[in-house]
Amino acid sequence: ILLYNLEWMCNCFMSTEREFEINIFEILWAFWKRIWCIALAAIICGVAGYAYTKTTSVPTYKAGAMIIINNKPEDRTYLTSDLINTSKELANTYTIIIKSHTVLDEVIKDLNLDISYETLCNMVSVSTVEETPVLKINVSHTNRAVAVAIVEKILAFSPELIVETMNVGSVNVIERPAADIAPTLPSATKSAIIWAFVGAIIVCGIIVVILLSDNTYSSERDVANDLDYPVLGVIPSLESSKSTIEKKSNSYSVRGNI
């Protein structure tokens, strides 16, 4: 019984694998026959995505500044590599402090911003500069002046809090935000590519559904593969039989005339 079950499982696996290979070939062939539909859908969706991004995108302004955090005590006149490494390792801690309620709530209050703490926190990003104790603070906003003002207020409140909380040597501003920052827009080309890919995928999915829902036999090979019986003969279609009869009658008439 065990051997019989193993043989049955192997036969099922082989038949399933063969059917899977045939279905994959048929699906690829169906894609190739309808390649113009896929290309047309990709073009239409790509153009629509490009136009939508161009007409609805709002420019944002990113104001940035850089600060350096020095763990050197005030009475020492040199900086060791250990102190620099410590500053780099504490970068995540400094990020939490800069984006804390203590700092950002003061920014909102001082600038009379009509936004919540969570909204402002999402606008602010803090990162290290090439594994150095230098932190870069960026603020993205749809208004250039507001973005610059937020960065300036963060630079006014955060250094003192970092020094008091972490007991570091000093926090110095390296670079202040520029007043003439250029706006950044979402990439319309990237949106067009994504939309075109989505359109092509949708059409391919529709083709696969139509192909899998078609349970008719299109050739004698389908009958032989599905029923596992040899094909003894093929009944010609009415059109092919009619064309054959017409050819024979024409040949008889030609012979009669000769």
Side-chain angles (χ1 to χ4, degrees):
I1 296 175
L2 180 60
L3 293 176
Y4 175 77
N5 290 333
L6 289 175
E7 184 180 359
W8 179 79
M9 292 175 62
C10 292
N11 291 333
C12 289
F13 176 77
M14 294 299 293
S15 62
T16 303
E17 185 178 4
R18 182 172 64 252
E19 183 180 358
F20 178 76
E21 291 177 355
I22 293 173
N23 288 337
I24 289 295
F25 175 77
E26 291 177 354
I27 290 173
L28 293 177
W29 178 246
F31 288 163
W32 177 253
K33 289 192 300 183
R34 297 170 178 84
I35 190 66
W36 64 273
C37 293
I38 300 174
L40 182 62
I43 294 173
I44 293 175
C45 291
V47 172
Y50 185 88
Y52 178 81
T53 304
K54 278 291 188 181
T55 55
T56 61
S57 60
V58 179
T60 58
Y61 298 88
K62 180 179 290 187
M66 289 191 294
I67 60 176
I68 184 169
I69 300 172
N70 182 15
N71 285 333
K72 179 180 69 68
E74 295 294 337
D75 56 346
R76 296 174 62 177
T77 58
Y78 60 92
L79 186 65
T80 64
S81 60
D82 293 337
L83 294 175
I84 295 177
N85 293 331
T86 303
S87 298
K88 292 189 292 185
E89 292 173 358
L90 292 174
N92 292 331
T93 305
Y94 301 144
T95 300
I96 295 174
I97 294 174
I98 292 173
K99 300 180 70 172
S100 64
H101 278 277
T102 306
V103 175
L104 297 187
D105 286 344
E106 287 293 330
V107 173
I108 294 174
K109 180 181 178 180
D110 212 56
L111 295 176
N112 294 323
L113 299 177
D114 189 17
I115 56 177
S116 63
Y117 162 79
E118 290 75 14
T119 303
L120 180 57
C121 188
N122 292 329
M123 295 178 183
V124 180
S125 63
V126 183
S127 59
T128 58
V129 179
E130 298 180 357
E131 299 183 355
T132 62
V134 176
L135 293 181
K136 187 171 185 179
I137 304 172
N138 290 321
V139 174
S140 298
H141 199 277
T142 55
N143 189 303
R144 181 193 287 112
V146 173
V148 173
I150 292 174
V151 175
E152 290 287 357
K153 290 300 179 180
I154 291 176
L155 294 179
F157 296 134
S158 60
E160 183 179 356
L161 182 62
I162 293 174
V163 172
E164 293 178 355
T165 305
M166 301 301 298
N167 195 23
V168 297
S170 61
V171 177
N172 300 321
V173 178
I174 301 176
E175 181 179 287
R176 292 192 173 275
D180 55 346
I181 52 178
T184 58
L185 292 170
S187 177
T189 303
K190 184 183 294 184
S191 299
I193 294 174
I194 295 175
W195 281 56
F197 182 76
V198 171
I201 290 297
I202 292 175
V203 174
C204 290
I206 294 174
I207 293 173
V208 171
V209 171
I210 294 174
L211 182 63
L212 296 180
S213 61
D214 186 11
N215 56 1
T216 60
Y217 295 111
S218 58
S219 64
E220 60 272 15
R221 188 190 67 177
D222 296 338
V223 178
N225 292 334
D226 194 11
L227 302 178
D228 201 15
Y229 287 121
V231 178
L232 300 179
V234 179
I235 300 176
S237 62
L238 182 62
E239 294 181 357
S240 60
S241 301
K242 183 178 179 181
S243 61
T244 304
I245 294 173
E246 290 179 355
K247 288 181 180 179
K248 288 184 178 180
S249 61
N250 291 332
S251 62
Y252 290 153
S253 61
V254 171
R255 290 180 181 176
N257 293 330
I258 293 176

